[in-house]
Amino acid sequence: MNTTFVDACNRRSPEHTPVWFMRQAGRYLPSYRAVKGSMSVTEVAKDPALASQVVVDAVEALGVDAGIIFADIMLPLEGMGVEFKIEENVGPVVTNPIRDIDSVNSLREVDPETDVGYVLDGIDATIQKLDDSVPLIGFSGAPFTLAGYMIEGRPSRDLESTKRMMYRDPQTWHSLMGALTKMVVAYLDSQVAHGVKAVQLFDSWVGCLSPTDYEAYVSKYTRAIMASVGRKVPRIHFCANSASLLEQFIETGPDVLSVDWRIGMGEAWRASKGRVGIQGNLDPVLALAGGAGMKRQTKRILDESRGHRGHIFSLGHGVLRETDPENLRQIVRSVHSAKRRA
Ligand code: CP3
């Protein structure tokens, strides 16, 4: 087993900096498009044979140090009774957005083995196909980001309706966050039981909150999730646009913070104060653009991380659709061949 990724999560010193990419199994990859054909993301994710295949194809095509289960943050919400579609080039669209306490009270409790049994079967199949080559990462959406989709009903830039509920109707907000936290805890626990070697919590859009509101409306739920996973496997916290909340994320107890390109790696390492590893943070547009700029900034990120324990090289967000897979292979080669210490 290539242990570089898990070693970095645990802030041990791997022989090279590990690298993987969010959405590495996605539409930019010809093998993914071939498997997917005219199926939706949801249909692929619900078929353990196909879901495991696209993960392994991506790992092999890129030479990365970890795979991530093929699923979507929205899938476990189906078990709670939330109806949605994932529309191409749009994202999740919810049929009946949550607006009041009655709709929160009618949400069902999720039993992962029955409600998302296909994800767990997919994990079993993926681990078997990876055949001890690289570790598999599990994931879940975080309560705030999931609540955002459930309340807005579709992707939204500033999450106005979500924040309006938070401010006007805190009781409904906290009931919803409580129900989602319970689901995430059970979901991640079952993924760990099926053998994932790390988990990543995607709180993609929580960067739209002030530090005061993060503390009042979100942090205790994240803390409960981090505590429930505990020391079983390393925990990665992901947020886009996270620079103003790093200290608060660290206080929720993750092992690694995933940061995007809006913050310098040097600043992220200073915020870490040796308490967490840092994952990131090349701009996905640089991976798409390729060439000398991509090469130079890949080197810069590695240089800024030299001497710090726990760097996992990644993009600041998901791989963009028009990216040439060869660019990602080039990044992997640069990261793997870089000297760890000056
Ligand atoms: O290799 C991988 O990372 C794939 C597994 C994966 C998917 N979704 C499958 C998928 C993961 C880790 C996710 C997480 C996810 N889904 C997040 C958190 C990460 C982030 O981007 O912040 C979010 C917010 C979602 C919701 C969602 N699903 C969005 C915003 C979109 C994009 C819509 C589009 O068409 O561009 C999706 C669709 C989706 N989920 C795709 C994939 C591979 C792309 C559509 C496709 O391949 O057909």
Side-chain angles (χ1 to χ4, degrees):
M1 171 82 76
N2 170 344
T3 61
T4 55
F5 167 78
V6 174
D7 287 346
C9 287
N10 289 321
R11 271 161 288 138
R12 287 191 293 264
S13 294
E15 61 207 55
H16 60 72
T17 301
V19 48
W20 71 283
F21 306 102
M22 288 176 265
R23 296 256 166 89
Q24 63 192 20
R27 285 167 298 193
Y28 77 98
L29 201 62
S31 59
Y32 174 81
R33 293 198 300 270
V35 170
K36 189 173 178 250
S38 58
M39 293 170 80
S40 67
V41 192
T42 314
E43 287 167 327
V44 176
K46 288 185 176 180
D47 183 326
L50 297 183
S52 54
Q53 196 55 49
V54 297
V55 174
V56 177
D57 286 346
V59 167
E60 288 175 354
L62 303 176
V64 285
D65 299 293
I68 183 160
I69 62 173
F70 192 83
D72 192 87
I73 58 166
M74 298 299 288
L75 295 174
L77 299 183
E78 238 168 25
M80 298 179 86
V82 178
E83 267 181 52
F84 63 85
K85 279 208 301 264
I86 298 175
E87 290 185 7
E88 290 254 1
N89 304 318
V90 178
V93 178
V94 174
T95 316
N96 295 305
I98 299 264
R99 289 291 151 83
D100 52 30
I101 191 72
D102 290 340
S103 42
V104 173
N105 287 337
S106 67
L107 292 170
R108 294 195 295 269
E109 229 174 89
V110 167
D111 171 13
E113 291 288 344
T114 54
D115 291 316
V116 276
Y118 57 84
V119 172
L120 306 177
D121 292 343
I123 291 174
D124 296 345
T126 309
I127 289 174
Q128 199 172 13
K129 285 182 187 160
L130 285 172
D131 194 23
D132 274 343
S133 53
V134 296
L136 183 63
I137 305 167
F139 75 86
S140 173
F144 177 87
T145 290
L146 294 173
Y149 284 113
M150 289 161 83
I151 296 166
E152 304 291 332
R154 52 191 307 113
S156 146
R157 189 163 283 275
D158 34 31
L159 294 145
E160 255 177 45
S161 305
T162 308
K163 289 164 75 172
R164 190 172 56 208
M165 180 195 283
M166 226 169 64
Y167 298 138
R168 267 202 200 156
D169 192 359
Q171 221 177 333
T172 303
W173 173 257
H174 286 294
S175 302
L176 177 58
M177 291 292 279
L180 286 166
T181 299
K182 204 162 177 186
M183 180 281 283
V184 173
V185 164
Y187 188 39
L188 290 178
D189 189 55
S190 65
Q191 293 182 28
V192 172
H194 279 258
V196 301
K197 293 286 192 288
V199 294
Q200 179 154 322
L201 188 68
F202 283 103
D203 214 348
S204 305
W205 313 129
V206 79
C208 72
L209 292 186
S210 71
T212 306
D213 290 341
Y214 182 79
E215 204 51 45
Y217 299 104
V218 180
S219 66
K220 70 171 178 182
Y221 302 103
T222 306
R223 197 173 296 120
I225 293 163
M226 295 299 173
S228 81
V229 176
R231 297 259 154 248
K232 283 179 282 195
V233 297
R235 302 147 291 186
I236 306 173
H237 182 283
F238 172 82
C239 173
N241 226 332
S242 63
S244 53
L245 295 172
L246 294 187
E247 181 59 33
Q248 283 167 287
F249 293 155
I250 292 171
E251 285 165 12
T252 66
D255 301 284
V256 178
L257 282 191
S258 194
V259 299
D260 76 12
W261 60 93
R262 294 173 183 92
I263 179 172
M265 271 315 241
E267 199 186 325
W269 286 116
R270 275 192 295 283
S272 153
K273 298 199 189 91
R275 294 170 293 176
V276 292
I278 301 288
Q279 177 171 277
N281 71 343
L282 192 73
D283 187 333
V285 180
L286 275 165
L288 180 145
M294 177 183 88
K295 221 171 158 173
R296 193 171 55 244
Q297 301 227 35
T298 300
K299 182 174 181 305
R300 171 186 58 77
I301 289 166
L302 290 164
D303 287 345
E304 288 172 353
S305 300
R306 191 159 296 132
H308 294 282
R309 280 170 186 246
H311 182 216
I312 298 162
F313 194 98
S314 198
L315 305 182
H317 213 152
V319 179
L320 296 167
R321 186 181 189 154
E322 311 298 330
T323 307
D324 181 346
E326 186 48 37
N327 292 350
L328 299 186
R329 282 192 283 270
Q330 222 179 83
I331 293 172
V332 170
R333 284 194 297 272
S334 308
V335 174
H336 283 173
S337 61
K339 293 257 179 301
R340 267 198 320 107
R341 286 184 177 279

